[in-house]
PDB file of all heavy atoms in Angstrom:
ATOM      1  N   HIS A  49     -24.975  -2.023  35.745  1.00  0.00           N
ATOM      2  CA  HIS A  49     -25.788  -2.689  36.760  1.00  0.00           C
ATOM      3  C   HIS A  49     -27.185  -2.103  36.730  1.00  0.00           C
ATOM      4  O   HIS A  49     -27.348  -0.896  36.536  1.00  0.00           O
ATOM      5  CB  HIS A  49     -25.193  -2.464  38.159  1.00  0.00           C
ATOM      6  CG  HIS A  49     -23.959  -3.269  38.431  1.00  0.00           C
ATOM      7  ND1 HIS A  49     -23.590  -3.676  39.682  1.00  0.00           N
ATOM      8  CD2 HIS A  49     -23.001  -3.739  37.599  1.00  0.00           C
ATOM      9  CE1 HIS A  49     -22.465  -4.375  39.620  1.00  0.00           C
ATOM     10  NE2 HIS A  49     -22.086  -4.411  38.371  1.00  0.00           N
ATOM     11  N   PHE A  62     -26.312  -6.614  57.014  1.00  0.00           N
ATOM     12  CA  PHE A  62     -25.194  -5.834  56.459  1.00  0.00           C
ATOM     13  C   PHE A  62     -25.623  -4.919  55.319  1.00  0.00           C
ATOM     14  O   PHE A  62     -24.818  -4.193  54.762  1.00  0.00           O
ATOM     15  CB  PHE A  62     -24.106  -6.783  55.941  1.00  0.00           C
ATOM     16  CG  PHE A  62     -24.645  -7.879  55.061  1.00  0.00           C
ATOM     17  CD1 PHE A  62     -25.017  -7.616  53.756  1.00  0.00           C
ATOM     18  CD2 PHE A  62     -24.825  -9.159  55.573  1.00  0.00           C
ATOM     19  CE1 PHE A  62     -25.557  -8.620  52.955  1.00  0.00           C
ATOM     20  CE2 PHE A  62     -25.356 -10.174  54.774  1.00  0.00           C
ATOM     21  CZ  PHE A  62     -25.722  -9.893  53.464  1.00  0.00           C
ATOM     22  N   CYS A  63     -26.892  -4.956  54.949  1.00  0.00           N
ATOM     23  CA  CYS A  63     -27.306  -4.307  53.707  1.00  0.00           C
ATOM     24  C   CYS A  63     -27.861  -2.911  53.938  1.00  0.00           C
ATOM     25  O   CYS A  63     -28.741  -2.703  54.769  1.00  0.00           O
ATOM     26  CB  CYS A  63     -28.357  -5.164  53.012  1.00  0.00           C
ATOM     27  SG  CYS A  63     -28.929  -4.477  51.447  1.00  0.00           S
ATOM     28  N   HIS A  98     -26.073  -6.380  34.216  1.00  0.00           N
ATOM     29  CA  HIS A  98     -26.040  -7.159  35.462  1.00  0.00           C
ATOM     30  C   HIS A  98     -27.282  -6.761  36.258  1.00  0.00           C
ATOM     31  O   HIS A  98     -27.360  -5.649  36.779  1.00  0.00           O
ATOM     32  CB  HIS A  98     -24.740  -6.791  36.202  1.00  0.00           C
ATOM     33  CG  HIS A  98     -24.546  -7.435  37.533  1.00  0.00           C
ATOM     34  ND1 HIS A  98     -23.304  -7.657  38.070  1.00  0.00           N
ATOM     35  CD2 HIS A  98     -25.415  -7.893  38.451  1.00  0.00           C
ATOM     36  CE1 HIS A  98     -23.417  -8.225  39.259  1.00  0.00           C
ATOM     37  NE2 HIS A  98     -24.696  -8.374  39.506  1.00  0.00           N
ATOM     38  N   LYS A 129     -26.697 -10.993  32.582  1.00  0.00           N
ATOM     39  CA  LYS A 129     -26.185 -11.678  33.775  1.00  0.00           C
ATOM     40  C   LYS A 129     -27.139 -11.290  34.885  1.00  0.00           C
ATOM     41  O   LYS A 129     -27.183 -10.121  35.286  1.00  0.00           O
ATOM     42  CB  LYS A 129     -24.757 -11.185  34.069  1.00  0.00           C
ATOM     43  CG  LYS A 129     -24.111 -11.868  35.262  1.00  0.00           C
ATOM     44  CD  LYS A 129     -22.637 -11.489  35.395  1.00  0.00           C
ATOM     45  CE  LYS A 129     -22.484 -10.257  36.250  1.00  0.00           C
ATOM     46  NZ  LYS A 129     -21.086  -9.814  36.368  1.00  0.00           N
ATOM     47  N   PRO A 163     -24.818 -13.971  38.294  1.00  0.00           N
ATOM     48  CA  PRO A 163     -23.802 -13.322  39.120  1.00  0.00           C
ATOM     49  C   PRO A 163     -23.564 -14.106  40.408  1.00  0.00           C
ATOM     50  O   PRO A 163     -24.282 -15.057  40.702  1.00  0.00           O
ATOM     51  CB  PRO A 163     -24.422 -11.955  39.416  1.00  0.00           C
ATOM     52  CG  PRO A 163     -25.887 -12.177  39.350  1.00  0.00           C
ATOM     53  CD  PRO A 163     -26.117 -13.294  38.364  1.00  0.00           C
ATOM     54  N   GLY A 164     -22.581 -13.677  41.155  1.00  0.00           N
ATOM     55  CA  GLY A 164     -22.152 -14.470  42.308  1.00  0.00           C
ATOM     56  C   GLY A 164     -22.681 -14.025  43.652  1.00  0.00           C
ATOM     57  O   GLY A 164     -22.228 -14.517  44.688  1.00  0.00           O
ATOM     58  N   GLY A 165     -23.636 -13.116  43.656  1.00  0.00           N
ATOM     59  CA  GLY A 165     -24.109 -12.540  44.920  1.00  0.00           C
ATOM     60  C   GLY A 165     -24.882 -13.514  45.796  1.00  0.00           C
ATOM     61  O   GLY A 165     -25.246 -14.608  45.364  1.00  0.00           O
ATOM     62  N   GLY A 166     -25.097 -13.079  47.028  1.00  0.00           N
ATOM     63  CA  GLY A 166     -25.900 -13.873  47.951  1.00  0.00           C
ATOM     64  C   GLY A 166     -25.149 -14.976  48.664  1.00  0.00           C
ATOM     65  O   GLY A 166     -25.711 -15.676  49.488  1.00  0.00           O
ATOM     66  N   ALA A 167     -23.865 -15.128  48.357  1.00  0.00           N
ATOM     67  CA  ALA A 167     -23.100 -16.198  49.005  1.00  0.00           C
ATOM     68  C   ALA A 167     -22.704 -15.782  50.428  1.00  0.00           C
ATOM     69  O   ALA A 167     -22.674 -16.615  51.336  1.00  0.00           O
ATOM     70  CB  ALA A 167     -21.864 -16.547  48.186  1.00  0.00           C
ATOM     71  N   GLU A 168     -22.402 -14.515  50.597  1.00  0.00           N
ATOM     72  CA  GLU A 168     -22.022 -13.944  51.910  1.00  0.00           C
ATOM     73  C   GLU A 168     -20.934 -14.785  52.566  1.00  0.00           C
ATOM     74  O   GLU A 168     -19.830 -14.846  52.094  1.00  0.00           O
ATOM     75  CB  GLU A 168     -23.256 -13.770  52.810  1.00  0.00           C
ATOM     76  CG  GLU A 168     -24.549 -13.314  52.092  1.00  0.00           C
ATOM     77  CD  GLU A 168     -24.427 -12.126  51.149  1.00  0.00           C
ATOM     78  OE1 GLU A 168     -23.352 -11.528  51.049  1.00  0.00           O
ATOM     79  OE2 GLU A 168     -25.413 -11.788  50.467  1.00  0.00           O
ATOM     80  N   ASN A 203     -20.716 -16.798  38.693  1.00  0.00           N
ATOM     81  CA  ASN A 203     -19.624 -16.339  39.552  1.00  0.00           C
ATOM     82  C   ASN A 203     -19.933 -16.687  41.002  1.00  0.00           C
ATOM     83  O   ASN A 203     -21.043 -17.107  41.317  1.00  0.00           O
ATOM     84  CB  ASN A 203     -19.465 -14.815  39.437  1.00  0.00           C
ATOM     85  CG  ASN A 203     -18.990 -14.406  38.057  1.00  0.00           C
ATOM     86  OD1 ASN A 203     -18.293 -15.160  37.378  1.00  0.00           O
ATOM     87  ND2 ASN A 203     -19.370 -13.208  37.633  1.00  0.00           N
ATOM     88  N   THR A 205     -19.231 -15.083  45.106  1.00  0.00           N
ATOM     89  CA  THR A 205     -18.712 -13.986  45.935  1.00  0.00           C
ATOM     90  C   THR A 205     -18.463 -14.470  47.360  1.00  0.00           C
ATOM     91  O   THR A 205     -18.867 -15.577  47.740  1.00  0.00           O
ATOM     92  CB  THR A 205     -19.713 -12.812  46.019  1.00  0.00           C
ATOM     93  OG1 THR A 205     -20.960 -13.317  46.522  1.00  0.00           O
ATOM     94  CG2 THR A 205     -19.925 -12.159  44.669  1.00  0.00           C
ATOM     95  N   LEU A 207     -18.624 -12.154  51.130  1.00  0.00           N
ATOM     96  CA  LEU A 207     -18.653 -10.866  51.815  1.00  0.00           C
ATOM     97  C   LEU A 207     -17.799 -10.979  53.068  1.00  0.00           C
ATOM     98  O   LEU A 207     -18.101 -11.782  53.954  1.00  0.00           O
ATOM     99  CB  LEU A 207     -20.096 -10.509  52.188  1.00  0.00           C
ATOM    100  CG  LEU A 207     -20.303  -9.186  52.914  1.00  0.00           C
ATOM    101  CD1 LEU A 207     -19.960  -8.006  52.001  1.00  0.00           C
ATOM    102  CD2 LEU A 207     -21.735  -9.053  53.414  1.00  0.00           C
ATOM    103  N   ILE A 238     -15.218 -13.407  43.540  1.00  0.00           N
ATOM    104  CA  ILE A 238     -15.182 -11.981  43.877  1.00  0.00           C
ATOM    105  C   ILE A 238     -15.242 -11.785  45.382  1.00  0.00           C
ATOM    106  O   ILE A 238     -16.296 -11.970  45.995  1.00  0.00           O
ATOM    107  CB  ILE A 238     -16.383 -11.246  43.229  1.00  0.00           C
ATOM    108  CG1 ILE A 238     -16.431 -11.556  41.736  1.00  0.00           C
ATOM    109  CG2 ILE A 238     -16.305  -9.743  43.467  1.00  0.00           C
ATOM    110  CD1 ILE A 238     -17.823 -11.740  41.192  1.00  0.00           C
ATOM    111  N   LEU A 240     -15.821  -9.608  48.293  1.00  0.00           N
ATOM    112  CA  LEU A 240     -16.440  -8.291  48.482  1.00  0.00           C
ATOM    113  C   LEU A 240     -16.095  -7.764  49.866  1.00  0.00           C
ATOM    114  O   LEU A 240     -16.375  -8.426  50.872  1.00  0.00           O
ATOM    115  CB  LEU A 240     -17.964  -8.397  48.370  1.00  0.00           C
ATOM    116  CG  LEU A 240     -18.543  -8.866  47.034  1.00  0.00           C
ATOM    117  CD1 LEU A 240     -20.026  -9.234  47.203  1.00  0.00           C
ATOM    118  CD2 LEU A 240     -18.388  -7.781  45.972  1.00  0.00           C
ATOM    119  N   VAL A 241     -15.496  -6.598  49.910  1.00  0.00           N
ATOM    120  CA  VAL A 241     -15.158  -6.012  51.211  1.00  0.00           C
ATOM    121  C   VAL A 241     -16.395  -5.309  51.774  1.00  0.00           C
ATOM    122  O   VAL A 241     -17.028  -4.490  51.101  1.00  0.00           O
ATOM    123  CB  VAL A 241     -14.011  -4.990  51.082  1.00  0.00           C
ATOM    124  CG1 VAL A 241     -13.640  -4.435  52.454  1.00  0.00           C
ATOM    125  CG2 VAL A 241     -12.802  -5.622  50.416  1.00  0.00           C
ATOM    126  N   TYR A 242     -16.718  -5.644  53.001  1.00  0.00           N
ATOM    127  CA  TYR A 242     -17.885  -5.078  53.673  1.00  0.00           C
ATOM    128  C   TYR A 242     -17.811  -3.546  53.750  1.00  0.00           C
ATOM    129  O   TYR A 242     -16.791  -2.978  54.170  1.00  0.00           O
ATOM    130  CB  TYR A 242     -17.962  -5.689  55.080  1.00  0.00           C
ATOM    131  CG  TYR A 242     -18.950  -5.033  55.992  1.00  0.00           C
ATOM    132  CD1 TYR A 242     -20.312  -5.097  55.726  1.00  0.00           C
ATOM    133  CD2 TYR A 242     -18.527  -4.337  57.121  1.00  0.00           C
ATOM    134  CE1 TYR A 242     -21.224  -4.478  56.564  1.00  0.00           C
ATOM    135  CE2 TYR A 242     -19.433  -3.726  57.973  1.00  0.00           C
ATOM    136  CZ  TYR A 242     -20.780  -3.797  57.685  1.00  0.00           C
ATOM    137  OH  TYR A 242     -21.672  -3.179  58.499  1.00  0.00           O
ATOM    138  N   GLN A 243     -18.891  -2.889  53.326  1.00  0.00           N
ATOM    139  CA  GLN A 243     -19.019  -1.425  53.424  1.00  0.00           C
ATOM    140  C   GLN A 243     -19.896  -1.111  54.629  1.00  0.00           C
ATOM    141  O   GLN A 243     -20.997  -1.646  54.752  1.00  0.00           O
ATOM    142  CB  GLN A 243     -19.654  -0.848  52.149  1.00  0.00           C
ATOM    143  CG  GLN A 243     -18.993  -1.309  50.859  1.00  0.00           C
ATOM    144  CD  GLN A 243     -17.573  -0.803  50.713  1.00  0.00           C
ATOM    145  OE1 GLN A 243     -17.326   0.406  50.778  1.00  0.00           O
ATOM    146  NE2 GLN A 243     -16.637  -1.722  50.540  1.00  0.00           N
ATOM    147  N   ASN A 247     -26.378   0.408  57.944  1.00  0.00           N
ATOM    148  CA  ASN A 247     -26.923  -0.936  58.175  1.00  0.00           C
ATOM    149  C   ASN A 247     -26.917  -1.278  59.659  1.00  0.00           C
ATOM    150  O   ASN A 247     -26.531  -0.467  60.490  1.00  0.00           O
ATOM    151  CB  ASN A 247     -26.187  -1.975  57.342  1.00  0.00           C
ATOM    152  CG  ASN A 247     -24.780  -2.214  57.802  1.00  0.00           C
ATOM    153  OD1 ASN A 247     -24.546  -2.609  58.943  1.00  0.00           O
ATOM    154  ND2 ASN A 247     -23.824  -1.965  56.932  1.00  0.00           N
ATOM    155  N   LYS A 278     -11.626 -11.582  40.843  1.00  0.00           N
ATOM    156  CA  LYS A 278     -12.022 -10.215  40.544  1.00  0.00           C
ATOM    157  C   LYS A 278     -11.697  -9.291  41.709  1.00  0.00           C
ATOM    158  O   LYS A 278     -12.103  -9.562  42.845  1.00  0.00           O
ATOM    159  CB  LYS A 278     -13.543 -10.196  40.353  1.00  0.00           C
ATOM    160  CG  LYS A 278     -14.018  -9.429  39.147  1.00  0.00           C
ATOM    161  CD  LYS A 278     -15.529  -9.406  39.105  1.00  0.00           C
ATOM    162  CE  LYS A 278     -16.048 -10.028  37.825  1.00  0.00           C
ATOM    163  NZ  LYS A 278     -17.494  -9.760  37.625  1.00  0.00           N
ATOM    164  N   TYR A 280     -12.958  -6.263  42.823  1.00  0.00           N
ATOM    165  CA  TYR A 280     -14.145  -5.450  42.525  1.00  0.00           C
ATOM    166  C   TYR A 280     -13.924  -4.048  43.077  1.00  0.00           C
ATOM    167  O   TYR A 280     -14.008  -3.820  44.276  1.00  0.00           O
ATOM    168  CB  TYR A 280     -15.366  -6.108  43.154  1.00  0.00           C
ATOM    169  CG  TYR A 280     -16.683  -5.470  42.807  1.00  0.00           C
ATOM    170  CD1 TYR A 280     -16.982  -5.092  41.499  1.00  0.00           C
ATOM    171  CD2 TYR A 280     -17.650  -5.265  43.786  1.00  0.00           C
ATOM    172  CE1 TYR A 280     -18.201  -4.518  41.192  1.00  0.00           C
ATOM    173  CE2 TYR A 280     -18.870  -4.703  43.478  1.00  0.00           C
ATOM    174  CZ  TYR A 280     -19.139  -4.328  42.174  1.00  0.00           C
ATOM    175  OH  TYR A 280     -20.348  -3.755  41.873  1.00  0.00           O
ATOM    176  N   THR A 283     -15.950  -2.162  45.863  1.00  0.00           N
ATOM    177  CA  THR A 283     -15.775  -2.330  47.316  1.00  0.00           C
ATOM    178  C   THR A 283     -14.332  -2.092  47.757  1.00  0.00           C
ATOM    179  O   THR A 283     -14.090  -1.838  48.929  1.00  0.00           O
ATOM    180  CB  THR A 283     -16.200  -3.731  47.859  1.00  0.00           C
ATOM    181  OG1 THR A 283     -15.336  -4.728  47.316  1.00  0.00           O
ATOM    182  CG2 THR A 283     -17.632  -4.056  47.534  1.00  0.00           C
ATOM    183  N   ASP A 301     -13.887  -6.382  37.112  1.00  0.00           N
ATOM    184  CA  ASP A 301     -15.304  -6.175  36.799  1.00  0.00           C
ATOM    185  C   ASP A 301     -15.375  -5.131  35.693  1.00  0.00           C
ATOM    186  O   ASP A 301     -14.636  -5.255  34.722  1.00  0.00           O
ATOM    187  CB  ASP A 301     -16.139  -5.799  38.029  1.00  0.00           C
ATOM    188  CG  ASP A 301     -17.643  -5.946  37.782  1.00  0.00           C
ATOM    189  OD1 ASP A 301     -18.121  -7.092  37.688  1.00  0.00           O
ATOM    190  OD2 ASP A 301     -18.343  -4.919  37.640  1.00  0.00           O
ATOM    191  N   ILE A 309     -25.764  -0.917  45.354  1.00  0.00           N
ATOM    192  CA  ILE A 309     -25.688  -1.750  46.560  1.00  0.00           C
ATOM    193  C   ILE A 309     -24.476  -1.375  47.414  1.00  0.00           C
ATOM    194  O   ILE A 309     -24.601  -1.077  48.605  1.00  0.00           O
ATOM    195  CB  ILE A 309     -25.645  -3.248  46.183  1.00  0.00           C
ATOM    196  CG1 ILE A 309     -26.923  -3.621  45.406  1.00  0.00           C
ATOM    197  CG2 ILE A 309     -25.522  -4.110  47.445  1.00  0.00           C
ATOM    198  CD1 ILE A 309     -26.995  -5.059  44.946  1.00  0.00           C
ATOM    199  N   GLN A 310     -23.297  -1.348  46.785  1.00  0.00           N
ATOM    200  CA  GLN A 310     -22.095  -0.988  47.537  1.00  0.00           C
ATOM    201  C   GLN A 310     -22.133   0.493  47.930  1.00  0.00           C
ATOM    202  O   GLN A 310     -21.714   0.864  49.028  1.00  0.00           O
ATOM    203  CB  GLN A 310     -20.830  -1.256  46.709  1.00  0.00           C
ATOM    204  CG  GLN A 310     -20.814  -2.612  46.001  1.00  0.00           C
ATOM    205  CD  GLN A 310     -20.982  -3.788  46.935  1.00  0.00           C
ATOM    206  OE1 GLN A 310     -20.610  -3.692  48.103  1.00  0.00           O
ATOM    207  NE2 GLN A 310     -21.533  -4.874  46.434  1.00  0.00           N
ATOM    208  N   GLY A 313     -23.837   1.269  50.984  1.00  0.00           N
ATOM    209  CA  GLY A 313     -23.030   0.937  52.156  1.00  0.00           C
ATOM    210  C   GLY A 313     -21.880   1.906  52.389  1.00  0.00           C
ATOM    211  O   GLY A 313     -21.074   1.708  53.284  1.00  0.00           O
TER     212      GLY A 313
HETATM  213  O1  V47 B 298     -24.436 -10.537  47.713  1.00  0.00           O
HETATM  214  C1  V47 B 298     -24.537  -6.167  50.466  1.00  0.00           C
HETATM  215  C2  V47 B 298     -23.091  -7.513  48.879  1.00  0.00           C
HETATM  216  C3  V47 B 298     -23.612  -8.420  46.921  1.00  0.00           C
HETATM  217  C4  V47 B 298     -23.002  -4.955  51.368  1.00  0.00           C
HETATM  218  O2  V47 B 298     -20.974 -11.804  39.901  1.00  0.00           O
HETATM  219  C5  V47 B 298     -22.413  -5.735  50.390  1.00  0.00           C
HETATM  220  O3  V47 B 298     -19.788 -10.474  38.646  1.00  0.00           O
HETATM  221  C6  V47 B 298     -20.360  -4.828  50.833  1.00  0.00           C
HETATM  222  O4  V47 B 298     -22.695  -9.973  44.249  1.00  0.00           O
HETATM  223  N1  V47 B 298     -20.878  -4.068  51.821  1.00  0.00           N
HETATM  224  C7  V47 B 298     -24.132  -8.114  45.548  1.00  0.00           C
HETATM  225  N2  V47 B 298     -21.097  -5.668  50.108  1.00  0.00           N
HETATM  226  C8  V47 B 298     -22.995  -7.700  44.615  1.00  0.00           C
HETATM  227  C9  V47 B 298     -22.434  -8.866  43.874  1.00  0.00           C
HETATM  228  C10 V47 B 298     -21.559  -8.698  42.682  1.00  0.00           C
HETATM  229  C11 V47 B 298     -20.936  -7.511  42.446  1.00  0.00           C
HETATM  230  C12 V47 B 298     -20.137  -7.372  41.325  1.00  0.00           C
HETATM  231  C13 V47 B 298     -19.960  -8.407  40.429  1.00  0.00           C
HETATM  232  C14 V47 B 298     -20.603  -9.608  40.665  1.00  0.00           C
HETATM  233  C15 V47 B 298     -20.451 -10.701  39.682  1.00  0.00           C
HETATM  234  C16 V47 B 298     -21.398  -9.767  41.810  1.00  0.00           C
HETATM  235  O5  V47 B 298     -23.383  -7.191  47.574  1.00  0.00           O
HETATM  236  C17 V47 B 298     -24.466  -9.160  47.881  1.00  0.00           C
HETATM  237  C18 V47 B 298     -23.839  -8.788  49.191  1.00  0.00           C
HETATM  238  O6  V47 B 298     -22.855  -9.710  49.553  1.00  0.00           O
HETATM  239  N3  V47 B 298     -23.375  -6.471  49.851  1.00  0.00           N
HETATM  240  N4  V47 B 298     -24.318  -5.220  51.399  1.00  0.00           N
HETATM  241  C19 V47 B 298     -22.179  -4.089  52.117  1.00  0.00           C
HETATM  242  N5  V47 B 298     -22.663  -3.329  53.117  1.00  0.00           N
END
Side-chain angles (χ1 to χ4, degrees):
H49 285 208
F62 49 76
C63 181
H98 177 153
K129 182 172 90 182
E168 322 312 356
N203 293 331
T205 56
L207 180 66
I238 308 141
L240 298 166
V241 182
Y242 169 66
Q243 309 294 305
N247 70 60
K278 226 183 239 192
Y280 186 44
T283 65
D301 195 71
I309 300 179
Q310 314 303 332

